[in-house]
Amino acid sequence: MVLADLVARARAELAPVLARFKVEVALAPDLPAVLIDPALIGQALVNLLENASKYAAEGSAIQIIAAPDPTGVALTVCDEGPGIAAPERQRVFELFYRVAQGDGQPAGTGLGLAIVKGLVEANGGSVAVIDPPSGKGAAIRLILPALPLPAAPIPALPLPRTRDSPAHIPRHPSHLPHTPPASSPRPY
């Protein structure tokens, strides 16, 4: 699956919601194809973008960044919202865990990131909260398995001709040596 297609689908699905933000997409040009179920990882990306739109201020930037990673492809969604405190970064992926907002009240249902984690891990990937590149907001990084980048092509060498190569094998049955059929007992 080409990651650019997956990102385009998620953005199209959330177009009315994302229209209120400055969506920035930065996909490295040398990304390998990812080995994923596009429906599952597409839903994970939609969940991340919905979360970003929920917690970031209207008009702020939401970034979608993809780059090669030693274990596959890193796909990161960043926002300029309140962020996720370091002590809570592991817990946000637990089912029904909700981060308290500035008013002390938990937000959301506590399902979104738990679902993202399940979808990504079902595809052999991983998910983590990381420090946002800008230093503010939240950044969620998915590591997705990918096809290895192709190595330089190996030049084909001509094969030596041998007595058994196709050019030396007779094609007409009259050229084949005659062997009598094995006798078999007659059934009674």
Side-chain angles (χ1 to χ4, degrees), residues 40-162:
L40 297 182
I41 298 303
Q43 184 60 54
L45 183 56
V46 164
N47 286 13
L48 292 178
L49 292 170
E50 282 179 331
N51 267 12
S53 71
K54 251 187 249 180
Y55 298 107
E58 195 167 308
S60 64
I62 294 176
Q63 296 177 317
I64 305 167
I65 305 165
D69 180 84
T71 58
V73 171
L75 177 63
T76 307
V77 174
C78 306
D79 66 48
E80 296 177 342
I84 301 170
E88 298 190 83
R89 288 185 175 182
Q90 290 297 321
R91 298 213 54 211
V92 294
F93 297 106
E94 295 174 11
L95 201 55
F96 302 116
Y97 184 79
R98 300 181 298 168
V99 175
Q101 293 301 305
D103 60 4
Q105 297 299 312
T109 61
L111 292 174
L113 291 177
I115 290 170
V116 167
K117 182 178 191 262
L119 295 171
V120 171
E121 288 179 352
N123 278 269
S126 63
V127 61
V129 179
I130 63 168
D131 290 328
S134 68
K136 62 180 179 175
I140 312 287
R141 174 170 287 164
L142 311 180
I143 302 294
L144 304 172
L147 289 170
L149 290 173
I154 300 171
L157 299 175
L159 295 174
R161 290 192 174 264
T162 66

Side-chain angles (χ1 to χ4, degrees), residues 1-2 30-36 69 71-73 144-150:
M1 172 86 204
V2 177
D30 57 344
L31 286 177
V34 287
L35 297 169
I36 58 164
D69 180 84
T71 58
V73 171
L144 304 172
L147 289 170
L149 290 173

